Structures are given as structure tokens and as C-alpha cells.
Amino acid sequence: MPPSTAFADATELSRLRWRARRGMLENDLILQRYFAQRETPFGQDEVDALNALLALDDNTLFDLFLHNSPLPQELDLPRVRELLDTLQRL
């Protein structure tokens, strides 16, 4: 399926930034760096992928960032893998 051309609006981005604030400092730093380095608008596919990752608990998310665990099967989708790869390189 081709990526969506719809872009997230300001309200949706604000909610996403709020959800990205984590209880684990390490996760928070990675996610905030990701937002700070963005130069292009967030596409809806990217928002959906980020929301899927943000639904995970902090320890699971951190393990993913460090390559310590595989992506859960239900999240093993191309856009989520692409986003996770980007986050792992930050």
C-alpha cells in the first residue's frame, strides 16, 4: 500500500508530542530528538506508526530502541519498522 499523502494537523501533532513524553528519560530524549530533527511535515502514516510505538510500555520501547528485542508481531509493518529504524539511529 502506498504511503498516505495526508498530513497531520497542528492539533494532532501537539497530542503526539504530549504522548511522546515518557516516564523513562532515555525514551524521552530519543523521541524529543526525533521531533527536533524533523524538517518535513508528519504524514498520517508516520503519525499512525508513532502512535503504535507510543502505545508500548517504556521498557519495551527502550528495548526496541536498543535492538534488545524484536518488534512485536502485531506492529511488524513496513512503516513502523522504518520509523523504528530511524529512532534507533538517533
Side-chain angles (χ1 to χ4, degrees):
M1 174 189 285
S4 170
T5 56
F7 294 102
D9 64 19
T11 302
E12 190 169 21
L13 284 177
S14 178
R15 283 188 198 121
L16 195 59
R17 283 179 183 271
W18 181 255
R19 281 195 71 208
R21 296 179 57 163
R22 307 303 289 204
M24 183 182 281
L25 177 62
E26 294 84 349
N27 287 344
D28 195 41
L29 293 173
I30 291 168
L31 292 166
Q32 294 312 312
R33 189 175 315 141
Y34 175 70
F35 281 104
Q37 291 181 0
R38 291 290 306 191
E39 295 178 5
T40 58
F42 281 76
Q44 192 59 50
D45 289 345
E46 187 172 9
V47 169
D48 294 343
L50 193 49
N51 274 320
L53 289 175
L54 293 176
L56 298 170
D57 65 81
D58 279 341
N59 290 327
T60 301
L61 188 59
F62 191 58
D63 283 343
L64 288 172
F65 289 161
L66 295 180
H67 304 271
N68 288 342
S69 63
L71 193 60
Q73 186 175 5
E74 64 275 8
L75 297 182
D76 195 8
L77 304 167
R79 187 63 187 120
V80 176
R81 283 193 311 267
E82 181 181 325
L83 176 60
L84 181 58
D85 182 58
T86 299
L87 292 165
Q88 288 169 331
R89 289 182 277 133
L90 293 177

